[in-house]
Amino acid sequence: LALSKPTTIIPNGYEQERLDLSRAALRERDADAQDGLVRVGYCSGTPTHQRDLAVASHALSEVLAEFPHARLVLWRSGVNLGEFPELQAHIGQIEWRERVGRDATPREYARLDINIAPLEVGNPFCEAKSELKFFEAALIRVPTVASPTQPYAQAIRHGETGFLASDHQQWCTCLRDLVRSEERRVGKECR
């Protein structure tokens, strides 16, 4: 229905302060000793993202089962794990983090080795979400595996700037390849 109303799309971005906080978090991460774990983070905003996590939950479960050194990092107020028995089976590999203010999120992203942004492709609400989670992680040099919604598909060059996964097998492949190889986490294509 055309209502003849003018519209403007204003894309998300980041300001200099955000870049400075991200670079500081990156320096802190690079100075810290590594513990040998590979952390896959899902920085969900609210529990409304339950259906989004379901897009990748079975792939995450398979990867956790295959790699004992992998951890799934979740924000306590953003996920109801009761809806994901496949993830509950790996409760010992789940790290819970408390929600933090916007200025502290770069430090949270810096704790991760892999960022995920699963969304329901084709869902109008999800198709309207910005690529914010991709570039916030990218500022800290954390690779993102995302669903190929229009914003993510436009922002990510698969295998170069991030990874796109449209089905269970692609989620498994990208996550496995990234967990297996630090080299791939810093910019090599998943196969």
Side-chain angles (χ1 to χ4, degrees), residues 133-152:
K133 292 188 184 323
F134 162 65
F135 66 74
E136 284 192 334
L139 289 172
I140 318 264
R141 296 188 186 140
V142 173
T144 295
V145 181
S147 296
T149 59
Q150 183 179 355
Y152 282 115

PDB file of all heavy atoms in Angstrom, residues 133-152:
ATOM      1  N   LYS A 133      25.750  -5.815  14.771  1.00  0.00           N
ATOM      2  CA  LYS A 133      26.530  -6.847  15.455  1.00  0.00           C
ATOM      3  C   LYS A 133      27.756  -7.259  14.647  1.00  0.00           C
ATOM      4  O   LYS A 133      28.768  -7.655  15.206  1.00  0.00           O
ATOM      5  CB  LYS A 133      25.669  -8.050  15.786  1.00  0.00           C
ATOM      6  CG  LYS A 133      24.627  -7.730  16.854  1.00  0.00           C
ATOM      7  CD  LYS A 133      23.917  -8.964  17.320  1.00  0.00           C
ATOM      8  CE  LYS A 133      22.821  -8.679  18.295  1.00  0.00           C
ATOM      9  NZ  LYS A 133      23.019  -7.629  19.239  1.00  0.00           N
ATOM     10  N   PHE A 134      27.672  -7.152  13.334  1.00  0.00           N
ATOM     11  CA  PHE A 134      28.817  -7.464  12.477  1.00  0.00           C
ATOM     12  C   PHE A 134      29.918  -6.425  12.650  1.00  0.00           C
ATOM     13  O   PHE A 134      31.064  -6.752  12.917  1.00  0.00           O
ATOM     14  CB  PHE A 134      28.377  -7.557  11.015  1.00  0.00           C
ATOM     15  CG  PHE A 134      29.495  -7.439  10.026  1.00  0.00           C
ATOM     16  CD1 PHE A 134      30.487  -8.411   9.959  1.00  0.00           C
ATOM     17  CD2 PHE A 134      29.579  -6.359   9.162  1.00  0.00           C
ATOM     18  CE1 PHE A 134      31.529  -8.294   9.039  1.00  0.00           C
ATOM     19  CE2 PHE A 134      30.603  -6.248   8.244  1.00  0.00           C
ATOM     20  CZ  PHE A 134      31.578  -7.217   8.195  1.00  0.00           C
ATOM     21  N   PHE A 135      29.587  -5.144  12.497  1.00  0.00           N
ATOM     22  CA  PHE A 135      30.685  -4.188  12.527  1.00  0.00           C
ATOM     23  C   PHE A 135      31.189  -3.905  13.930  1.00  0.00           C
ATOM     24  O   PHE A 135      32.358  -3.577  14.110  1.00  0.00           O
ATOM     25  CB  PHE A 135      30.418  -2.920  11.698  1.00  0.00           C
ATOM     26  CG  PHE A 135      29.322  -2.016  12.158  1.00  0.00           C
ATOM     27  CD1 PHE A 135      29.459  -1.206  13.250  1.00  0.00           C
ATOM     28  CD2 PHE A 135      28.140  -1.960  11.430  1.00  0.00           C
ATOM     29  CE1 PHE A 135      28.454  -0.353  13.634  1.00  0.00           C
ATOM     30  CE2 PHE A 135      27.137  -1.096  11.805  1.00  0.00           C
ATOM     31  CZ  PHE A 135      27.281  -0.292  12.913  1.00  0.00           C
ATOM     32  N   GLU A 136      30.361  -4.090  14.963  1.00  0.00           N
ATOM     33  CA  GLU A 136      30.885  -3.935  16.326  1.00  0.00           C
ATOM     34  C   GLU A 136      31.931  -5.009  16.616  1.00  0.00           C
ATOM     35  O   GLU A 136      32.950  -4.731  17.239  1.00  0.00           O
ATOM     36  CB  GLU A 136      29.757  -3.967  17.350  1.00  0.00           C
ATOM     37  CG  GLU A 136      28.975  -2.673  17.369  1.00  0.00           C
ATOM     38  CD  GLU A 136      28.037  -2.549  18.552  1.00  0.00           C
ATOM     39  OE1 GLU A 136      27.600  -3.589  19.098  1.00  0.00           O
ATOM     40  OE2 GLU A 136      27.746  -1.411  18.923  1.00  0.00           O
ATOM     41  N   ALA A 137      31.693  -6.238  16.171  1.00  0.00           N
ATOM     42  CA  ALA A 137      32.681  -7.305  16.337  1.00  0.00           C
ATOM     43  C   ALA A 137      33.893  -7.055  15.441  1.00  0.00           C
ATOM     44  O   ALA A 137      35.035  -7.282  15.854  1.00  0.00           O
ATOM     45  CB  ALA A 137      32.049  -8.660  16.031  1.00  0.00           C
ATOM     46  N   ALA A 138      33.660  -6.579  14.229  1.00  0.00           N
ATOM     47  CA  ALA A 138      34.765  -6.337  13.296  1.00  0.00           C
ATOM     48  C   ALA A 138      35.721  -5.269  13.818  1.00  0.00           C
ATOM     49  O   ALA A 138      36.926  -5.337  13.558  1.00  0.00           O
ATOM     50  CB  ALA A 138      34.213  -5.934  11.929  1.00  0.00           C
ATOM     51  N   LEU A 139      35.210  -4.298  14.567  1.00  0.00           N
ATOM     52  CA  LEU A 139      36.086  -3.274  15.138  1.00  0.00           C
ATOM     53  C   LEU A 139      37.120  -3.893  16.079  1.00  0.00           C
ATOM     54  O   LEU A 139      38.171  -3.302  16.319  1.00  0.00           O
ATOM     55  CB  LEU A 139      35.261  -2.216  15.889  1.00  0.00           C
ATOM     56  CG  LEU A 139      34.415  -1.283  15.032  1.00  0.00           C
ATOM     57  CD1 LEU A 139      33.511  -0.425  15.913  1.00  0.00           C
ATOM     58  CD2 LEU A 139      35.291  -0.415  14.140  1.00  0.00           C
ATOM     59  N   ILE A 140      36.828  -5.079  16.610  1.00  0.00           N
ATOM     60  CA  ILE A 140      37.735  -5.777  17.531  1.00  0.00           C
ATOM     61  C   ILE A 140      38.427  -6.936  16.812  1.00  0.00           C
ATOM     62  O   ILE A 140      39.074  -7.753  17.435  1.00  0.00           O
ATOM     63  CB  ILE A 140      36.946  -6.323  18.743  1.00  0.00           C
ATOM     64  CG1 ILE A 140      35.933  -5.341  19.250  1.00  0.00           C
ATOM     65  CG2 ILE A 140      37.862  -6.798  19.841  1.00  0.00           C
ATOM     66  CD1 ILE A 140      36.296  -4.471  20.370  1.00  0.00           C
ATOM     67  N   ARG A 141      38.212  -7.040  15.515  1.00  0.00           N
ATOM     68  CA  ARG A 141      38.791  -8.127  14.704  1.00  0.00           C
ATOM     69  C   ARG A 141      38.269  -9.500  15.116  1.00  0.00           C
ATOM     70  O   ARG A 141      39.009 -10.477  15.151  1.00  0.00           O
ATOM     71  CB  ARG A 141      40.310  -8.087  14.732  1.00  0.00           C
ATOM     72  CG  ARG A 141      40.874  -6.842  14.118  1.00  0.00           C
ATOM     73  CD  ARG A 141      42.369  -6.911  13.984  1.00  0.00           C
ATOM     74  NE  ARG A 141      42.844  -5.618  13.517  1.00  0.00           N
ATOM     75  CZ  ARG A 141      43.944  -5.054  13.962  1.00  0.00           C
ATOM     76  NH1 ARG A 141      44.701  -5.661  14.836  1.00  0.00           N
ATOM     77  NH2 ARG A 141      44.305  -3.878  13.500  1.00  0.00           N
ATOM     78  N   VAL A 142      36.994  -9.552  15.443  1.00  0.00           N
ATOM     79  CA  VAL A 142      36.326 -10.817  15.748  1.00  0.00           C
ATOM     80  C   VAL A 142      35.452 -11.159  14.544  1.00  0.00           C
ATOM     81  O   VAL A 142      34.595 -10.368  14.163  1.00  0.00           O
ATOM     82  CB  VAL A 142      35.464 -10.703  17.032  1.00  0.00           C
ATOM     83  CG1 VAL A 142      34.644 -11.963  17.248  1.00  0.00           C
ATOM     84  CG2 VAL A 142      36.342 -10.408  18.239  1.00  0.00           C
ATOM     85  N   PRO A 143      35.677 -12.333  13.924  1.00  0.00           N
ATOM     86  CA  PRO A 143      34.881 -12.695  12.753  1.00  0.00           C
ATOM     87  C   PRO A 143      33.442 -13.017  13.131  1.00  0.00           C
ATOM     88  O   PRO A 143      33.170 -13.547  14.203  1.00  0.00           O
ATOM     89  CB  PRO A 143      35.584 -13.937  12.208  1.00  0.00           C
ATOM     90  CG  PRO A 143      36.234 -14.543  13.399  1.00  0.00           C
ATOM     91  CD  PRO A 143      36.630 -13.388  14.284  1.00  0.00           C
ATOM     92  N   THR A 144      32.533 -12.703  12.231  1.00  0.00           N
ATOM     93  CA  THR A 144      31.108 -12.956  12.435  1.00  0.00           C
ATOM     94  C   THR A 144      30.605 -13.974  11.422  1.00  0.00           C
ATOM     95  O   THR A 144      30.929 -13.900  10.243  1.00  0.00           O
ATOM     96  CB  THR A 144      30.301 -11.648  12.276  1.00  0.00           C
ATOM     97  OG1 THR A 144      30.669 -10.744  13.319  1.00  0.00           O
ATOM     98  CG2 THR A 144      28.796 -11.894  12.332  1.00  0.00           C
ATOM     99  N   VAL A 145      29.803 -14.913  11.926  1.00  0.00           N
ATOM    100  CA  VAL A 145      29.013 -15.797  11.076  1.00  0.00           C
ATOM    101  C   VAL A 145      27.580 -15.307  11.233  1.00  0.00           C
ATOM    102  O   VAL A 145      27.057 -15.247  12.353  1.00  0.00           O
ATOM    103  CB  VAL A 145      29.115 -17.281  11.491  1.00  0.00           C
ATOM    104  CG1 VAL A 145      28.279 -18.149  10.551  1.00  0.00           C
ATOM    105  CG2 VAL A 145      30.561 -17.745  11.520  1.00  0.00           C
ATOM    106  N   ALA A 146      26.953 -14.942  10.124  1.00  0.00           N
ATOM    107  CA  ALA A 146      25.616 -14.335  10.173  1.00  0.00           C
ATOM    108  C   ALA A 146      24.676 -14.995   9.173  1.00  0.00           C
ATOM    109  O   ALA A 146      25.108 -15.551   8.164  1.00  0.00           O
ATOM    110  CB  ALA A 146      25.702 -12.841   9.863  1.00  0.00           C
ATOM    111  N   SER A 147      23.412 -14.891   9.461  1.00  0.00           N
ATOM    112  CA  SER A 147      22.390 -15.283   8.490  1.00  0.00           C
ATOM    113  C   SER A 147      22.395 -14.257   7.359  1.00  0.00           C
ATOM    114  O   SER A 147      22.624 -13.073   7.592  1.00  0.00           O
ATOM    115  CB  SER A 147      21.014 -15.301   9.146  1.00  0.00           C
ATOM    116  OG  SER A 147      20.965 -16.274  10.155  1.00  0.00           O
ATOM    117  N   PRO A 148      22.126 -14.692   6.133  1.00  0.00           N
ATOM    118  CA  PRO A 148      22.200 -13.773   5.000  1.00  0.00           C
ATOM    119  C   PRO A 148      20.941 -12.927   4.800  1.00  0.00           C
ATOM    120  O   PRO A 148      20.332 -12.917   3.727  1.00  0.00           O
ATOM    121  CB  PRO A 148      22.451 -14.706   3.809  1.00  0.00           C
ATOM    122  CG  PRO A 148      21.755 -15.966   4.199  1.00  0.00           C
ATOM    123  CD  PRO A 148      21.941 -16.079   5.697  1.00  0.00           C
ATOM    124  N   THR A 149      20.538 -12.202   5.843  1.00  0.00           N
ATOM    125  CA  THR A 149      19.482 -11.217   5.647  1.00  0.00           C
ATOM    126  C   THR A 149      20.047 -10.146   4.730  1.00  0.00           C
ATOM    127  O   THR A 149      21.266 -10.061   4.525  1.00  0.00           O
ATOM    128  CB  THR A 149      19.048 -10.594   6.988  1.00  0.00           C
ATOM    129  OG1 THR A 149      20.194  -9.975   7.594  1.00  0.00           O
ATOM    130  CG2 THR A 149      18.441 -11.626   7.930  1.00  0.00           C
ATOM    131  N   GLN A 150      19.192  -9.325   4.185  1.00  0.00           N
ATOM    132  CA  GLN A 150      19.664  -8.314   3.236  1.00  0.00           C
ATOM    133  C   GLN A 150      20.771  -7.434   3.828  1.00  0.00           C
ATOM    134  O   GLN A 150      21.801  -7.243   3.184  1.00  0.00           O
ATOM    135  CB  GLN A 150      18.507  -7.465   2.717  1.00  0.00           C
ATOM    136  CG  GLN A 150      18.962  -6.453   1.679  1.00  0.00           C
ATOM    137  CD  GLN A 150      17.822  -5.623   1.133  1.00  0.00           C
ATOM    138  OE1 GLN A 150      16.666  -5.840   1.440  1.00  0.00           O
ATOM    139  NE2 GLN A 150      18.163  -4.653   0.306  1.00  0.00           N
ATOM    140  N   PRO A 151      20.614  -6.884   5.051  1.00  0.00           N
ATOM    141  CA  PRO A 151      21.686  -6.035   5.579  1.00  0.00           C
ATOM    142  C   PRO A 151      23.016  -6.781   5.740  1.00  0.00           C
ATOM    143  O   PRO A 151      24.069  -6.246   5.396  1.00  0.00           O
ATOM    144  CB  PRO A 151      21.140  -5.567   6.928  1.00  0.00           C
ATOM    145  CG  PRO A 151      19.659  -5.652   6.786  1.00  0.00           C
ATOM    146  CD  PRO A 151      19.421  -6.851   5.917  1.00  0.00           C
ATOM    147  N   TYR A 152      22.975  -8.013   6.252  1.00  0.00           N
ATOM    148  CA  TYR A 152      24.222  -8.762   6.423  1.00  0.00           C
ATOM    149  C   TYR A 152      24.803  -9.166   5.074  1.00  0.00           C
ATOM    150  O   TYR A 152      26.023  -9.122   4.879  1.00  0.00           O
ATOM    151  CB  TYR A 152      24.017  -9.984   7.319  1.00  0.00           C
ATOM    152  CG  TYR A 152      23.966  -9.636   8.781  1.00  0.00           C
ATOM    153  CD1 TYR A 152      22.819  -9.833   9.522  1.00  0.00           C
ATOM    154  CD2 TYR A 152      25.075  -9.095   9.425  1.00  0.00           C
ATOM    155  CE1 TYR A 152      22.762  -9.503  10.862  1.00  0.00           C
ATOM    156  CE2 TYR A 152      25.026  -8.755  10.762  1.00  0.00           C
ATOM    157  CZ  TYR A 152      23.868  -8.956  11.484  1.00  0.00           C
ATOM    158  OH  TYR A 152      23.820  -8.616  12.812  1.00  0.00           O
TER     159      TYR A 152
END
